Amino acid sequence: MSWRVRRLTTAPELQAVASVWSELAEQHGHATPFATHDWFECCRIAAATPNVEVLQLEDAGVPVGLIPLHRRTTKLRGFPVRYLSLLDCPDSPFGDLIPAGGDRLLVATLLDHLATRSDWDILELGRLPIESTTLKLFEGELEGRLRCRRAGSEKSPYLAIDGTWQDFYGSRSQRFKKTIRNIQNRLARLGTITVEEHRTLDPQGRLLEELIDLTGRSWKADRGVAIATMPRMREFFSELSRRAAQHGWLSLWLLRLDGRPIAMEYQLRANGVAYALRADYDLDYATASPGSSLNFEVARALFERGDVREYHMGPGLNEYKMRWASGTHETVRLHVHRPGLYPTLLHLLETRAVPTARRLRERLR
């Protein structure tokens, strides 16, 4: 038994796959916005180059799987590398295949297809959930076939929304509650504080401009990772806001001081889970901790409404998030190396040379 692979590369082909995408996602129980064609289209907008394709796997002409990929060339330890990556964007909380793992033949077909291509050095499957069937199948299929390694991992805290706000907040430490009171008092002394939630956002409207302007005043702006400073992020969030509002996913929180936004959190919500994609605050008010105050308001609102069971707080295990968290979700970045001398040397560089150099540095210290 074998499946056929069709490469979809033109704009009409990538748009026409939307209906097939929806059917497959629904059939296989993909219950997040990040498995939808709408999310794929937004990520395609965010891609720095037009080198995007979708591999459509077919069984007797019937689509059974979709794999969105992005081709890019960049440097690894100073060496040029042609990456073929599972398409995502910097704000993707996780990624997977459509359908997500579940079928060894899907993974085997993908590997057979890639073996016929010479336009890549490393296949990068980023942000695979640690419990993903895809991760287990890839590592099983690759054993003795292609070189691979886990190239990194990331943990993101989450808060289980269970019970009443009074019970949950009452269970926090006295030190934590004192910190919250101090933050609220500092902000109150600065002026009038208001908190807003928006479920719609006009891509051409004032609210989006306020949001982007705020990110330009955050600490992320100087590092080039704010919405206002990252290439194509304005276009990404404009299109995402339009599509997310149509589906009822969007939830934008703003904390204002005398009408001026000084903290924000951009969420997508679906099927009882709230995903914080972005959170920023005005660096001029850093000592007043407006981001922490907004965290408090969001958590309280989620408990009091009772329409969300889990709040994903975004990547990063900073101390403040962990005080709220019920636990963490982990994702893994998997690198698969193409057969050949150069990809093999890249694999040896990462698995042998770099670890050896690190050990030597540690000994010298």
Side-chain angles (χ1 to χ4, degrees):
M1 181 180 179
S2 62
W3 289 349
R4 176 175 177 264
V5 177
R6 286 184 58 206
R7 287 181 69 186
L8 310 178
T9 57
T10 67
E13 287 176 329
L14 297 175
Q15 291 166 2
V17 79
S19 59
V20 172
W21 200 300
S22 298
E23 290 173 10
L24 283 174
E26 185 176 340
Q27 287 173 13
H28 294 275
H30 292 277
T32 76
F34 313 107
T36 64
H37 186 261
D38 285 288
W39 180 256
F40 162 73
E41 279 295 309
C42 292
C43 290
R44 192 160 70 94
I45 288 170
T49 69
N51 296 322
V52 174
E53 64 183 81
V54 171
L55 301 182
Q56 180 170 296
L57 280 60
E58 300 175 347
D59 182 10
V62 178
V64 292
L66 296 168
I67 304 171
L69 297 172
H70 178 219
R71 300 188 307 280
R72 75 188 195 282
T73 299
T74 187
K75 293 290 184 72
L76 176 67
R77 314 289 179 186
F79 294 93
V81 178
R82 297 171 301 166
Y83 282 96
L84 193 58
S85 306
L86 195 62
L87 182 68
D88 61 6
C89 79
D91 299 290
S92 300
F94 51 82
D96 216 319
L97 310 184
I98 309 286
D103 196 319
R104 188 175 300 276
L105 187 54
L106 184 146
V107 173
T109 301
L110 171 61
L111 294 176
D112 288 342
H113 168 76
L114 293 179
T116 68
R117 294 172 56 169
S118 59
D119 61 344
W120 62 286
D121 299 309
I122 295 177
L123 171 67
E124 182 175 65
L125 301 176
R127 296 188 175 99
L128 290 174
I130 192 70
E131 69 277 6
S132 166
T133 308
T134 299
L135 178 62
K136 297 179 177 63
L137 284 175
F138 259 94
E139 292 183 326
E141 286 292 321
L142 289 168
E143 188 174 357
R145 182 173 179 177
L146 293 176
R147 293 175 175 83
C148 78
R149 68 185 186 93
R150 294 191 179 189
S153 63
E154 187 174 64
K155 290 185 177 181
S156 302
Y158 70 89
L159 170 61
I161 309 298
D162 184 23
T164 68
W165 168 251
Q166 289 76 15
D167 288 343
F168 168 77
Y169 195 59
S171 69
R172 302 297 92 180
S173 70
Q174 290 301 317
R175 180 182 178 184
F176 178 68
K177 286 183 278 193
K178 182 180 179 181
T179 299
I180 293 293
R181 288 194 300 271
N182 289 340
I183 290 171
Q184 292 171 330
N185 290 335
R186 283 199 300 268
L187 283 170
R189 286 194 291 269
L190 295 176
T192 301
I193 297 296
T194 55
V195 177
E196 304 169 355
E197 183 192 15
H198 299 270
R199 303 305 301 270
T200 61
L201 184 60
D202 181 358
Q204 308 301 323
R206 177 188 60 84
L207 195 59
L208 181 61
E209 289 305 314
E210 284 189 307
L211 166 67
I212 294 174
D213 182 62
L214 168 59
T215 70
R217 304 193 305 271
S218 76
W219 63 269
K220 297 176 184 177
D222 289 340
R223 302 186 186 183
V225 294
I227 296 174
T229 55
M230 286 183 69
R232 304 199 63 76
M233 280 297 100
R234 175 186 291 265
E235 293 84 353
F236 171 81
F237 276 96
S238 177
E239 184 64 16
L240 177 61
S241 298
R242 183 182 71 81
R243 293 173 183 259
Q246 289 176 348
H247 288 287
W249 299 334
L250 181 64
S251 179
L252 170 64
W253 292 86
L254 290 175
L255 184 144
R256 295 182 183 269
L257 171 62
D258 294 333
R260 175 185 174 88
I262 62 171
M264 59 79 76
E265 183 164 298
Y266 188 107
Q267 297 177 357
L268 294 187
R269 293 190 194 177
N271 299 291
V273 182
Y275 304 91
L277 299 192
R278 284 271 176 160
D280 268 314
Y281 61 86
D282 190 325
L283 196 56
D284 288 343
Y285 299 93
T287 56
S289 303
S292 299
S293 180
L294 185 57
N295 266 148
F296 170 84
E297 298 294 345
V298 170
R300 179 168 64 178
L302 294 180
F303 268 96
E304 290 177 345
R305 292 175 186 174
D307 58 352
V308 167
R309 69 176 184 277
E310 195 167 283
Y311 171 30
H312 288 222
M313 305 178 74
L317 301 182
N318 66 59
E319 182 182 357
Y320 185 79
K321 283 183 182 179
M322 295 309 296
R323 289 180 182 176
W324 288 100
S326 306
T328 61
H329 293 298
E330 184 176 2
T331 59
V332 172
R333 187 168 73 254
L334 188 69
H335 278 184
V336 180
H337 291 248
R338 183 176 63 84
L341 178 60
Y342 187 63
T344 299
L345 290 175
L346 293 173
H347 183 265
L348 291 174
L349 175 67
E350 288 298 298
T351 59
R352 301 285 181 85
V354 171
T356 300
R358 285 175 180 161
R359 288 193 296 270
L360 287 173
R361 281 200 299 268
E362 289 299 321
R363 289 177 183 175
L364 290 173
R365 287 174 187 169

